[in-house]
């Protein structure tokens, strides 16, 4: 969300179609014409109704100033690349993270890419392997980094360099996947994902960084498999999205108030629904969840769930 009554969403295109761009005006979602040259939008981010950026999979960028779109180029990366995430942190700063597949002595791997935009243009930044950004209300920038080889980590940008926040003590041999983060302040950052202990069953994972240590969420609901999205509720708790919750397709949206869990009434989307992202309005109880069931081939659906 970029304001009291302003929110944006982008989606994958249908077969031989351009991807949709939607804007919320406080009452309904309306289709917005794509900027010239953009066909497949991948990420949208903004700080105000007059500072919204849209990116395609190659990291080409367009900025909305409240009246018109302007092309902002792309980072000086060699193609092909795959954009992982992008975030606008202010009127003069934008970050994009991506990856580039390469073959090193017969070993295929993905090289992480990171770039920063300022009014002087794009510049490449040494990458910690960023996969997901989070921005706190005070403007602090955080990132989920790492992969299956290095393990997940949380890093913070202090304006000059990235600093690693020590990872929790995971069980030996456990496979941990951190899929999203919600940065509230330097002393409140939530990370969500899943954990697979050796010889055990996969379970959802939610942890909170309090500025000094990691605190696991107590008493996760029985059967939680994985969390895919997280957003602060503004009151010390979080909203959560799940990819498949106890194989019950409508139990994919939850609320944790810091002590207990509740299910949210969610649309009944069949065939493996996934929540891709969550957003909340500043100081309000309005919540948006974007999701779909992309594994359902040609009959896949997309939806935006609104809670107010």
């Amino acid at each position: 969300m970029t304001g009291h009554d302003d929110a944006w969403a982008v989606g994958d295109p249908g077969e031989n179609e351009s991807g949709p761009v939607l804007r919320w005006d406080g009452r309904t979602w309306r289709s917005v014409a794509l900027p010239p040259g953009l066909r497949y939008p991948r990420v949208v981010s903004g700080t105000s109704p007059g500072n919204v950026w849209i990116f395609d999979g190659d990291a080409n960028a367009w900025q909305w100033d409240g009246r018109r779109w302007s092309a902002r180029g792309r980072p000086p990366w060699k193609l092909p690349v795959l954009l992982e995430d992008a975030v606008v942190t202010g009127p003069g700063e934008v970050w994009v993270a991506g990856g580039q597949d390469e073959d090193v002595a017969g070993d295929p791997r993905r090289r992480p890419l990171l770039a920063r935009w300022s009014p002087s243009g794009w510049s490449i930044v040494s990458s910690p392997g960023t996969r997901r950004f989070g921005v706190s209300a005070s403007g602090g920038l955080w990132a989920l980094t790492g992969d299956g080889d290095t393990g997940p980590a949380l890093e913070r940008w202090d304006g000059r360099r990235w600093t690693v926040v020590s990872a929790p003590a995971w069980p030996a041999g456990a496979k941990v996947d951190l899929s999203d983060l919600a940065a509230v302040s330097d002393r409140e950052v939530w990370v969500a994902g899943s954990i697979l202990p050796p010889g055990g069953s996969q379970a959802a994972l939610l942890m909170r960084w309090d500025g000094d240590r990691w605190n696991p969420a107590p008493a996760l609901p029985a059967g939680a498999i994985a969390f895919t999205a997280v957003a602060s509720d503004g009151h010390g708790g979080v909203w959560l999205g799940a990819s498949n919750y106890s194989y019950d397709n409508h139990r994919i949206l939850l609320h944790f108030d810091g002590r207990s869990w509740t299910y949210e009434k969610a649309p009944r989307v069949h065939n493996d629904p996934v929540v891709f992202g969550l957003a909340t309005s500043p100081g309000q109880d309005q919540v948006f969840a974007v999701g779909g069931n992309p594994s359902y081939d040609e009959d896949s659906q997309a939806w935006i769930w609104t809670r107010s």
Side-chain angles (χ1 to χ4, degrees), residues 160-224:
R160 294 183 299 171
R161 63 178 65 87
W162 289 96
T163 302
V164 177
V165 175
S166 59
W170 310 116
K175 181 180 179 181
V176 178
D177 180 22
L178 301 182
S179 57
D180 199 11
L181 77 160
V184 182
S185 68
D186 289 345
R187 304 193 68 83
E188 185 181 351
V189 181
W190 298 82
V191 296
S194 64
I195 183 170
L196 177 62
S201 299
Q202 180 174 305
L205 177 68
L206 177 65
M207 302 194 73
R208 178 181 181 272
W209 171 255
D210 66 8
D212 296 312
R213 62 181 65 84
W214 289 99
N215 302 278
L220 283 170

Side-chain angles (χ1 to χ4, degrees), residues 29-265:
W29 289 96
R30 300 183 186 278
S31 180
V32 176
L34 272 66
L38 174 61
R39 186 176 181 186
Y40 303 116
R42 180 171 174 84
V43 177
V44 60
S45 178
T47 58
S48 70
N51 185 33
V52 178
W53 290 59
I54 287 182
F55 307 82
D56 65 13
D58 292 331
N60 292 293
W62 291 262
Q63 182 186 19
W64 173 257
D65 65 4
R67 295 182 299 170
R68 62 177 66 90
W69 292 103
S70 298
R72 295 303 183 199
R74 58 183 302 276
W77 299 333
K78 292 182 179 180
L79 294 174
V81 300
L82 176 63
L83 182 71
E84 295 281 358
D85 198 12
V87 64
V88 181
T89 58
E93 185 177 65
V94 179
W95 290 84
V96 295
Q100 189 171 61
D101 292 333
E102 57 184 4
D103 192 300
V104 180
D107 180 17
R109 63 184 65 178
R110 176 162 291 178
R111 181 167 66 93
L113 302 170
L114 185 66
R116 177 178 177 268
W117 180 90
S118 68
S120 61
W122 290 100
S123 58
I124 294 177
V125 181
S126 177
S127 174
T130 302
R131 296 181 294 111
R132 191 77 170 171
F133 292 113
V135 181
S136 69
S138 60
L141 178 63
W142 297 75
L144 286 179
T145 64
D147 54 29
D149 296 326
T150 62
L154 185 68
E155 302 205 11
R156 178 175 177 265
W157 174 255
D158 64 7
R160 294 183 299 171
R161 63 178 65 87
W162 289 96
T163 302
V164 177
V165 175
S166 59
W170 310 116
K175 181 180 179 181
V176 178
D177 180 22
L178 301 182
S179 57
D180 199 11
L181 77 160
V184 182
S185 68
D186 289 345
R187 304 193 68 83
E188 185 181 351
V189 181
W190 298 82
V191 296
S194 64
I195 183 170
L196 177 62
S201 299
Q202 180 174 305
L205 177 68
L206 177 65
M207 302 194 73
R208 178 181 181 272
W209 171 255
D210 66 8
D212 296 312
R213 62 181 65 84
W214 289 99
N215 302 278
L220 283 170
I225 297 172
F227 293 139
T228 57
V230 60
S232 169
D233 67 0
H235 307 289
V238 285
W239 299 98
L240 291 146
S243 58
N244 193 324
Y245 202 84
S246 297
Y247 301 98
D248 193 341
N249 283 336
H250 73 281
R251 291 187 173 183
I252 54 175
L253 292 162
L254 305 93
H255 181 241
F256 178 62
D257 65 5
R259 294 171 298 178
S260 59
W261 296 84
T262 56
Y263 298 109
E264 287 293 306
K265 185 178 181 181

